[in-house]
């Protein structure tokens, strides 16, 4: 069994290595856009296209004129798109005041205009399982319900309720209907949330209201302004909901312009199941072509495909994103259509998205007045199938798909997660541990290590216990012999003991027992020097590196290639030196007695707990799991607290301060450090600008 596990592990590693070497990720020439994803550490990586352009539909709609002749009219600012269970396509052709009904291939079936009650600027359309249509007739401020044949059944006009004041504006822009027949309407500019109606059209309540976003200045005003002053301020209101979608399980999705609630997944009680998810479209930054101004996201629609994956479109930045049903990013791609560059697959102002039974993606573009159609690629289909097995708990069935994904793209880190879960499920914990590390999952890594540790203890417990007993007996015998023959294990003095710097270095142990007296002795009894302080500082740097590079992945889930030793040391030394300089300056101003040498030595000796605990912490971390994290973090916090107290006592003893004066000194030192770094950044910026200015003058003179 062990040989089979070893061969399987070697085969997976070999496939990964060969794929990285022979088949690196590259941009594909057959699509006019690039596709990206995020790895486990939040880095953006390029992938093969998940969807490829298939074509366009609804470019021109055939209509009969009064003479009975066929003419073609394009869509005019269409706002919504819906695909029913038979893959029929419905488009809200807003400025043409009509609903376009197309068959699955994009051929026209009918044009819905409701002659008995004409539509006016319809912006949303929804089709129920029995074929009934619901139209958000925005211009007429109503929701229209028709039967399958297009005959008017019901109108949902402005509801009459005590929850709505006279200023409430009812202009429906979209709606969804659940399997019970309850209707959820989004109204333009309504900060109250979604309007919920029962199947008879009676108003029930507002649903899924966004939270009011309050910034720091708003909080300050509430604390210090009077009621009269607050009444004159602009009223803070929740951000309005832009669009809505419902899936087969009855979960409702909304998109908004909110910073904190851009996308929500609501259950029947209106609770956001994604409130803990880090779905932030601001991270996918985009900038205007003509300037460095960052483009703000503008989510306009959301759709759920047959696998439960969620598609979202960002109109302002032309970004199409796909997430799995748990809110984990799968892909996102972007390609903007410009004047003279109107290629299939490129959008200009995407406003609605929908998917059919084959998981093809349809994107409605209000600027190009057509629908772009995309089909899943082999890579995209494989990833989606693998995710589906993972979500259903069928890890072994999904493993072959993840292996195929790695063959297609060795940088797609979720594949390591899928393989790790399959290995853990079949109890191949060693492979699972390694794959969880590649996937960046410290929880899975810890669980796998816990299983390996349990197996090791079960196998070696008798040996381990016997060794402990033998060691205990040997120590007992050694103690008896020492007391009887009175010999020393170590010599009383060594060559190092005759070195002055070594005696000064050993003084740090006295400081640990008697901190205030010990720090005082550094100055008044010459118990310290620059040499001993530098030795302690170097040891601190070494222990920081040891703790960073040799701590277990469980407690330091950072890939090895991101553990930059040079940058880490530069940052630490910059902070430490600025502390020494600023603390000396503040002490000089506030009648402190410490010299620069004293501050330098004391600040080095105060770091000794890091030297004392750095290596043990790194070693302990490699034997613990997340269930014992409290042990690790208790030791870590004790180390930092001890070092902090030593810094406090160092200032108190060296500067001859009281407790209150010491606290003030520390606070002023912190403020001075911030001012110092601001000045450094300003000087560096000015120096760069000045050098560019001199170089520009030189170029002009030399021409």
């Amino acid at each position: 069994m062990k040989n089979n596990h070893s061969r399987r592990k070697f085969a997976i590693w070999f496939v990964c290595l060969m794929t990285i070497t022979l088949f690196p990720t590259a941009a594909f020439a057959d699509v006019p856009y690039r596709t990206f994803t995020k790895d486990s550490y939040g880095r953006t990586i390029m992938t093969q296209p998940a969807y490829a352009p298939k074509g366009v539909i609804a470019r021109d709609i055939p209509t009969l004129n009064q003479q009975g002749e066929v003419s073609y009219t394009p869509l005019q600012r269409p706002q919504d798109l819906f695909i029913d269970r038979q893959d029929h396509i419905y488009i809200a052709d807003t400025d043409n005041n009509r609903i376009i009904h197309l068959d699955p291939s994009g051929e026209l079936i009918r044009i819905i205009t409701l002659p008995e009650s004409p539509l006016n600027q319809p912006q949303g359309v929804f089709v129920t399982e029995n074929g009934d249509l619901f139209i958000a007739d925005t211009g007429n401020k109503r929701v229209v319900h028709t039967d399958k044949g297009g005959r008017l059944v019901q109108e949902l006009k402005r509801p009459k309720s005590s929850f709505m004041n006279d200023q409430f504006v009812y202009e429906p822009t979209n709606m969804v209907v659940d399997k019970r027949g309850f209707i959820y309407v989004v109204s333009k500019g309504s900060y109250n949330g979604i309007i919920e109606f029962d199947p008879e059209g009676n108003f029930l309540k507002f649903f899924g209201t966004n939270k009011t976003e309050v910034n720091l200045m708003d909080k300050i005003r509430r604390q210090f302004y009077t009621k009269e002053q607050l009444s004159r301020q602009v009223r803070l209101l929740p951000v309005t909901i832009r669009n809505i979608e419902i899936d087969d399980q009855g979960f409702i999705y909304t998109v908004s312009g909110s910073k904190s609630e851009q996308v929500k997944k609501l259950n029947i009680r209106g609770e956001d199941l994604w409130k803990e998810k880090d779905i932030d479209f601001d991270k996918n930054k985009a900038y205007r072509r003509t300037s460095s101004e960052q483009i703000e996201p503008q989510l306009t629609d959301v759709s759920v495909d047959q696998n439960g994956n969620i598609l979202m479109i960002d109109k302002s930045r032309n970004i199409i994103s796909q997430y799995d049903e748990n809110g984990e990013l799968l892909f996102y791609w972007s390609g903007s259509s410009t004047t003279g560059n109107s290629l299939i697959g490129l959008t200009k102002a995407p406003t609605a998205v929908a998917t059919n039974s084959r998981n093809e993606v349809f994107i409605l573009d209000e600027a190009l007045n057509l629908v772009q159609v995309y089909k899943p690629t082999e890579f995209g289909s494989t990833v989606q199938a693998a995710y589906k097995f993972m979500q259903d708990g069928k890890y072994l069935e999904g493993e072959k798909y993840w292996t195929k994904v790695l063959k297609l793209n060795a940088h797609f880190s979720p594949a390591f997660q899928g393989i790790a879960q399959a290995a853990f499920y079949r109890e191949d914990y060693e492979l699972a541990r390694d794959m969880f590390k590649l996937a960046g999952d410290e929880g899975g890594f810890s669980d796998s290590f816990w299983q390996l540790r349990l197996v090791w203890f079960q196998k070696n417990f008798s040996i381990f216990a016997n060794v402990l007993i033998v060691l205990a007996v040997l120590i007992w015998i050694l103690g008896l012999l020492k007391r009887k023959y009175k010999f020393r294990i170590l010599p009383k003095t060594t060559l190092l003991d005759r070195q002055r710097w070594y005696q000064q270095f050993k003084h740090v142990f006295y400081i640990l027992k008697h901190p205030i007296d010990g720090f005082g002795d550094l100055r008044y009894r010459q118990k310290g020097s620059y040499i001993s302080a530098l030795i302690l500082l170097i040891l601190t740097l070494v222990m920081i590196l040891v703790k960073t590079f040799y701590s277990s992945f469980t407690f330091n889930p950072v890939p090895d290639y991101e553990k930059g030793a040079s940058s880490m040391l530069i940052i630490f030394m910059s902070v430490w030196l600025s502390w020494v300089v600023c603390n000396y300056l503040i002490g000089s101003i506030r009648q402190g007695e410490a010299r620069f040498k004293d501050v330098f030595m004391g600040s080095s000796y105060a770091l000794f707990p890091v030297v004392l605990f750095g290596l043990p912490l790194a070693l302990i971390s490699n034997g613990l799991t997340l269930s014992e994290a409290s042990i690790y973090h208790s030791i870590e916090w004790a180390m930092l607290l001890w070092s902090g107290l030593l810094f406090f006592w160092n200032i108190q003893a060296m500067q001859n301060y009281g407790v209150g004066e010491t606290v003030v000194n520390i606070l002023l030192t912190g403020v001075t450090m911030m001012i110092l770094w601001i000045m450094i950044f300003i000087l560096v910026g000015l120096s760069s600008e000045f050098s560019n200015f001199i170089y520009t003058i030189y170029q002009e003179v030399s021409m």
Side-chain angles (χ1 to χ4, degrees):
M1 180 66 70
K2 185 176 181 180
N3 291 335
N4 290 336
H5 289 172
S6 300
R7 284 196 295 268
R8 186 181 296 109
K9 180 180 177 182
F10 174 78
I12 292 177
W13 278 100
F14 180 76
V15 167
C16 297
L17 178 62
M18 294 302 295
T19 308
I20 294 173
T21 306
L22 300 177
F23 306 102
T25 303
F28 280 68
D30 57 344
V31 297
Y33 48 80
R34 293 181 177 180
T35 303
F36 302 90
T37 189
K38 300 278 187 179
D39 68 4
S40 305
Y41 301 100
R43 297 172 304 150
T44 300
I45 56 176
M46 187 166 29
T47 73
Q48 292 93 329
Y51 292 88
K54 182 180 178 181
V56 298
I57 61 173
R59 186 190 297 271
D60 291 303
I61 306 300
T63 57
L64 290 175
N65 57 25
Q66 294 180 351
Q67 290 75 30
E69 298 173 343
V70 177
S71 60
Y72 293 88
T73 58
L75 302 175
Q76 292 293 327
R77 203 175 62 86
Q79 293 297 300
D80 195 28
L81 176 69
F82 187 88
I83 299 178
D84 66 13
R85 293 186 177 275
Q86 288 72 42
D87 289 345
H88 284 218
I89 304 162
Y90 298 81
I91 302 171
D93 190 4
T94 303
D95 282 358
N96 283 327
N97 301 320
R98 61 187 182 178
I99 303 297
I100 305 299
H101 180 190
L102 308 175
D103 68 11
S105 62
E107 298 297 326
L108 179 67
I109 294 180
R110 58 176 172 164
I111 297 176
I112 303 171
T113 58
L114 289 183
E116 68 276 21
S117 181
L119 302 175
N120 183 11
Q121 300 285 304
Q123 293 191 22
V125 58
F126 185 91
V127 183
T128 63
E129 293 183 6
N130 63 3
D132 284 7
L133 271 75
F134 286 81
I135 302 169
D137 193 8
T138 309
N140 288 324
K141 300 181 179 181
R142 62 177 180 171
V143 171
V144 176
H145 175 197
T146 73
D147 62 14
K148 189 174 182 179
R151 291 179 291 273
L152 183 62
V153 175
Q154 184 184 29
E155 289 182 308
L156 300 178
K157 294 187 177 181
R158 188 185 191 279
K160 297 179 180 179
S161 171
S162 58
F163 294 103
M164 299 179 185
N165 54 34
D166 295 335
Q167 286 75 36
F168 178 79
V169 178
Y170 180 68
E171 294 184 9
T173 56
N174 213 334
M175 72 269 109
V176 295
V177 183
D178 65 16
K179 294 181 179 180
R180 305 168 300 164
F182 285 76
I183 308 158
Y184 301 86
V185 179
V186 174
S187 180
K188 182 186 298 183
S190 173
Y191 56 84
N192 302 90
I194 302 166
I195 306 168
E196 183 179 356
F197 295 90
D198 65 14
E200 287 72 37
N202 301 311
F203 171 76
L204 294 179
K205 63 179 182 293
F206 288 106
F207 182 86
T209 308
N210 287 331
K211 297 177 182 177
T212 302
E213 295 183 350
V214 181
N215 56 33
L216 179 60
M217 288 303 300
D218 295 325
K219 294 179 181 179
I220 294 174
R221 292 190 190 100
R222 287 186 178 182
Q223 293 296 324
F224 297 100
Y225 279 24
T226 63
K227 290 184 178 180
E228 182 181 352
Q229 289 173 320
L230 288 173
S231 65
R232 293 198 296 266
Q233 295 293 314
V234 177
R235 186 182 177 189
L236 295 175
L237 299 174
V239 177
T240 59
I241 295 172
R242 290 175 177 163
N243 220 325
I244 189 171
E245 170 69 319
I246 190 169
D247 64 15
D248 290 337
Q249 298 177 345
F251 292 110
I252 292 176
Y253 302 80
T254 64
V255 292
S256 309
S258 169
K259 291 290 184 182
S260 59
E261 297 177 305
Q262 292 177 320
V263 183
K264 296 197 296 185
K265 181 178 181 179
L266 306 171
N267 60 18
I268 196 171
R269 294 189 298 272
E271 299 169 338
D272 183 12
L273 304 182
W274 281 2
K275 61 182 178 181
E276 303 297 332
K277 289 291 181 181
D278 186 21
I279 300 178
D280 185 0
F281 286 83
D282 289 331
K283 293 180 179 179
N284 304 329
K285 293 181 174 59
Y287 299 89
R288 301 192 186 280
R289 295 174 179 268
T290 57
S291 67
S292 59
E293 180 186 356
Q294 184 177 335
I295 305 174
E296 294 296 326
Q298 183 184 353
L299 302 184
T300 56
D301 198 14
V302 56
S303 179
V304 183
D305 68 11
Q306 299 298 311
N307 293 329
N309 299 319
I310 297 95
L311 280 153
M312 306 173 199
I313 53 176
D314 183 345
K315 179 180 176 181
S316 62
R317 300 183 297 181
N318 282 287
I319 294 177
I320 298 96
S321 306
Q322 186 176 43
Y323 293 78
D324 69 8
E325 64 182 17
N326 296 319
E328 301 297 331
L329 178 67
L330 298 180
F331 309 101
Y332 70 91
W333 67 94
S334 175
S336 180
S337 177
T338 58
T339 304
N341 186 31
S342 183
L343 299 176
I344 294 178
L346 296 181
T347 56
K348 191 172 183 179
T351 188
V353 60
T355 58
N356 63 12
S357 61
R358 298 185 297 276
N359 286 328
E360 293 177 335
V361 176
F362 295 72
I363 296 179
L364 180 65
D365 195 310
E366 70 168 347
L368 299 178
N369 293 314
L370 49 77
V371 177
Q372 298 274 8
V373 184
Y374 304 81
K375 61 180 180 181
T377 62
E378 179 187 10
F379 177 71
S381 299
T382 306
V383 170
Q384 291 177 6
Y387 264 107
K388 186 63 177 175
F389 280 117
M390 181 189 292
Q391 291 159 2
D392 294 341
K394 301 177 181 178
Y395 304 119
L396 296 179
E397 292 88 338
E399 185 176 15
K400 63 179 180 179
Y401 291 94
W402 288 124
T403 304
K404 184 178 179 181
V405 169
L406 281 181
K407 291 180 180 179
L408 295 171
N409 187 341
H411 299 286
F412 197 76
S413 60
F416 296 118
Q417 180 82 16
I419 294 174
Q421 289 178 327
F424 190 90
Y425 186 79
R426 64 168 179 269
E427 300 183 359
D428 188 355
Y429 301 119
E430 187 174 354
L431 175 61
R433 178 195 61 190
D434 296 338
M435 292 295 107
F436 276 126
K437 184 175 182 179
L438 289 174
D441 183 355
E442 66 271 22
F445 180 93
S446 174
D447 292 340
S448 301
F449 176 74
W450 190 91
Q451 295 289 346
L452 289 171
R453 190 182 65 179
L454 178 63
V455 172
W456 185 88
F457 268 113
Q458 290 174 342
K459 183 178 180 181
N460 299 283
F461 177 77
S462 59
I463 299 174
F464 185 71
N466 291 333
V467 168
L468 287 178
I469 294 172
V470 170
L471 285 175
V473 172
L474 289 176
I475 292 172
W476 178 70
I477 294 173
L478 186 62
L480 290 177
L481 293 175
K482 183 180 177 183
R483 284 194 297 271
K484 182 176 182 180
Y485 296 102
K486 302 193 183 300
F487 63 87
R488 297 183 62 86
I489 299 176
L490 296 175
K492 188 173 183 179
T493 60
T494 63
L495 292 175
L496 281 175
D497 289 324
R498 301 189 185 99
Q499 302 294 324
R500 181 175 175 79
W501 65 266
Y502 181 67
Q503 293 292 337
Q504 293 170 335
F505 173 79
K506 285 174 36 177
H507 183 67
V508 72
F509 294 100
Y510 180 80
I511 290 177
L512 295 180
K513 298 178 182 178
H514 311 284
I516 296 181
D517 292 339
F519 280 117
D521 290 345
L522 287 178
R523 175 181 182 185
Y524 298 108
R525 299 181 62 186
Q526 288 76 47
K527 291 290 187 178
S529 65
Y530 277 119
I531 295 177
S532 59
L534 285 173
I535 291 173
L536 283 169
L537 188 59
I538 292 172
L539 287 175
T540 302
L541 295 175
V542 171
M543 288 305 166
I544 290 174
L545 293 178
V546 167
K547 185 176 179 297
T548 300
F549 284 92
Y550 295 100
S551 291
S552 169
F553 182 78
T554 301
F555 299 99
N556 189 24
V558 179
D560 294 336
Y561 50 80
E562 288 192 2
K563 298 175 181 177
S566 58
S567 59
M568 189 183 307
L569 296 181
I570 290 172
I571 292 172
F572 175 80
M573 287 304 302
S574 299
V575 174
W576 186 83
L577 283 174
S578 60
W579 163 268
V580 171
V581 172
C582 294
N583 188 258
Y584 168 72
L585 294 175
I586 293 298
S588 300
I589 295 172
R590 294 186 55 80
Q591 292 80 42
E593 299 179 4
R595 301 164 298 178
F596 180 81
K597 178 181 178 181
D598 302 328
V599 177
F600 186 93
M601 288 189 303
S603 298
S604 296
Y605 277 72
L607 293 171
F608 188 66
V610 178
V611 178
L612 205 61
F613 288 100
L615 181 59
L617 262 179
L619 295 176
I620 290 172
S621 70
N622 286 279
L624 300 177
T625 64
L626 284 178
S627 58
E628 297 104 20
S630 58
I631 300 173
Y632 177 87
H633 292 304
S634 296
I635 299 174
E636 187 176 43
W637 278 107
M639 175 189 73
L640 297 175
L641 179 61
W642 197 357
S643 183
L645 289 173
L646 289 179
F647 270 97
F648 184 89
W649 290 322
N650 162 50
I651 297 172
Q652 187 178 4
M654 290 288 196
Q655 303 286 4
N656 195 18
Y657 282 158
V659 174
E661 292 174 309
T662 305
V663 172
V664 173
N665 179 279
I666 292 173
L667 294 176
L668 291 176
T669 300
V671 173
T672 308
M673 287 174 66
M674 288 190 292
I675 295 173
L676 174 64
W677 281 108
I678 291 172
M679 291 177 60
I680 291 173
F681 289 142
I682 292 174
L683 288 175
V684 170
L686 290 176
S687 300
S688 176
E689 292 295 329
F690 182 73
S691 61
N692 291 336
F693 174 72
I694 297 297
Y695 181 69
T696 303
I697 293 177
Y698 168 76
Q699 285 183 316
E700 292 180 356
V701 172
S702 60
M703 290 178 62

